[in-house]
Amino acid sequence: MLGKMVAAVQTFACLVVLSSLQAYEATVVPRSQVNGIVRGTVYLNPILSVPENYQQIIWRFNKSQKILTKKWNQPESYPSGSFHTKLRYYENHTLEINHLQKQDSGTFRMEVEDNLSKKTNELFRLDVYEPVPKPRVNFTIRANEDGWCNVTLACIVDATQVTYHWRKNEKDLVGKNSSTLDVALKSESDASYKCIVSNPASEETGFIYYRSPCTWNEKNSAVPLSLARKTADSILAFGFLLLVHNWI
Ligand SMILES: *[C@@H]1O[C@H](CO)[C@@H](O)[C@H](O)[C@H]1NC(C)=O
Ligand SMILES: *[C@@H]1O[C@H](CO)[C@@H](O)[C@H](O)[C@H]1NC(C)=O
Ligand SMILES: *[C@@H]1O[C@H](CO)[C@@H](O)[C@H](O)[C@H]1NC(C)=O
Ligand SMILES: *[C@@H]1O[C@H](CO)[C@@H](O)[C@H](O)[C@H]1NC(C)=O
Ligand SMILES: *[C@@H]1O[C@H](CO)[C@@H](O)[C@H](O)[C@H]1NC(C)=O
Ligand SMILES: *[C@@H]1O[C@H](CO)[C@@H](O)[C@H](O)[C@H]1NC(C)=O
């Protein structure tokens, strides 16, 4: 009994450490590495503490190109160039970049000059990706005999630099990271497969559904919940009308 409790406490402590580690990663990593999608928006949030009486703040793209200057107590200015119309600067020193294009990928440096002309800076790396288009899933039957339905599923998407993973009945198929998936089904009457295609900035999902014997469909033939719900609602409403009718 006591042993079990100790084990439970240990597990809990371990989970707490793990989750705080994850939180640490999640908050620290994106500050220097930022991913965006084409036509999207990103925010560069500096962690650098900016003194109250700074002299000026300069943002540069790829080391040389000056894209923003903010002198203390003056409005910011945006030098002409590819970022001229795409930036917005906030009081809290966050820089917003809009209408992202692939060629905006690169490094952004924030330089702060304090009132004694001492400089500190912070570097960001921005990568802009095409949004992942919606994939299709097709199937090729390898064998359909002895009660087996053995097929190869293929996740088809017109995109490069993407990674794949698969889920069966909402459970991750760990380690299945190829665009194709070999499956062998025998006893199951139905199953759903999901292919998730992602890049660091976006992801999309394709579906395919299995029904015994060896039938595959990109649409789920089960009645969708929303439709079932609507039907149930109309039956209820109808029943109510009938009730009112009888009562009168
Ligand atoms: C600064 O303000 C912007 C816009 O209100 C917000 O999106 C951003 O998260 C803020 N940054 C920080 C570091 O609080
Ligand atoms: C420089 O800034 C510091 C704090 O940011 C302030 O205490 C000091 O008075 C400033 N000096 C001048 C000359 O403005
Ligand atoms: C900016 O630098 C990156 C490498 O960090 C390079 O791939 C990119 O082409 C540069 N962009 C421009 C517009 O010079
Ligand atoms: C499924 O997609 C793969 C990859 O695009 C293709 O080679 C194959 O011919 C397709 N199979 C069917 C049955 O459409
Ligand atoms: C497969 O994908 C999962 C989820 O995206 C990832 O955690 C794992 O590292 C990948 N494995 C390989 C071998 O690429
Ligand atoms: C289908 O796959 C299963 C599991 O891999 C295998 O045992 C079986 O022999 C295959 N059936 C046929 C007809 O190829």
Side-chain angles (χ1 to χ4, degrees):
M1 180 64 191
L2 194 66
K4 268 189 188 164
M5 265 176 70
V6 170
V9 168
Q10 273 171 351
T11 311
F12 179 71
C14 195
L15 282 175
V16 169
V17 169
L18 270 178
S19 59
S20 57
L21 272 179
Q22 273 170 356
Y24 180 77
E25 269 181 12
T27 52
V28 171
V29 174
R31 283 217 162 96
S32 49
Q33 172 69 49
V34 179
N35 300 313
I37 60 170
V38 171
R39 290 178 292 280
T41 298
V42 289
Y43 297 89
L44 306 185
N45 293 317
I47 43 173
L48 197 68
S49 81
V50 178
E52 225 175 288
N53 303 301
Y54 64 84
Q55 216 172 89
Q56 63 174 357
I57 296 172
I58 296 172
W59 280 85
R60 291 177 201 276
F61 174 64
N62 275 9
K63 283 209 172 127
S64 52
Q65 189 187 343
K66 207 186 268 189
I67 57 170
L68 185 150
T69 305
K70 170 85 175 80
K71 291 197 160 51
W72 186 73
N73 219 2
Q74 284 178 30
E76 59 274 18
S77 70
Y78 303 94
S80 60
S82 53
F83 290 95
H84 183 62
T85 56
K86 319 207 304 178
L87 302 180
R88 182 164 169 193
Y89 196 72
Y90 292 95
E91 282 292 305
N92 64 10
H93 307 298
T94 287
L95 181 66
E96 177 186 310
I97 312 172
N98 295 300
H99 308 296
L100 289 172
Q101 295 302 322
K102 284 197 109 162
Q103 58 267 29
D104 300 341
S105 300
T107 55
F108 290 79
R109 183 191 298 272
M110 181 205 199
E111 276 173 21
V112 180
E113 209 177 312
D114 71 10
N115 57 6
L116 302 170
S117 296
K118 187 172 160 281
K119 286 185 188 165
T120 46
N121 61 64
E122 184 170 346
L123 204 64
F124 297 84
R125 163 93 215 168
L126 172 68
D127 284 299
V128 181
Y129 296 85
E130 289 288 347
V132 174
K134 192 156 179 65
R136 281 186 47 230
V137 183
N138 80 4
F139 63 96
T140 309
I141 296 182
R142 285 181 289 119
N144 182 11
E145 56 195 40
D146 309 329
W148 280 102
C149 174
N150 295 1
V151 306
T152 300
L153 303 180
C155 192
I156 305 153
V157 66
D158 184 14
T160 52
Q161 289 185 297
V162 291
T163 58
Y164 298 87
H165 63 273
W166 293 86
R167 307 187 105 206
K168 177 187 180 185
N169 299 332
E170 296 301 331
K171 280 204 198 71
D172 279 323
L173 298 175
V174 176
K176 304 291 186 189
N177 293 54
S178 153
S179 65
T180 60
L181 179 73
D182 286 343
V183 304
L185 294 154
K186 189 168 194 173
S187 52
E188 285 146 283
S189 64
D190 51 54
S192 69
Y193 287 86
K194 211 185 238 189
C195 150
I196 299 135
V197 186
S198 51
N199 63 25
S202 74
E203 67 170 46
E204 273 289 351
T205 306
F207 302 89
I208 196 160
Y209 300 91
Y210 166 80
R211 246 165 211 288
S212 178
C214 219
T215 308
W216 294 86
N217 202 318
E218 283 199 57
K219 299 231 157 49
N220 193 354
S221 49
V223 183
L225 191 64
S226 56
L227 189 64
R229 183 66 195 266
K230 268 183 204 152
T231 315
D233 284 351
S234 4
I235 291 172
L236 261 177
F238 182 65
F240 178 72
L241 281 178
L242 219 58
L243 197 74
V244 171
H245 182 262
N246 289 348
W247 186 54
I248 294 171

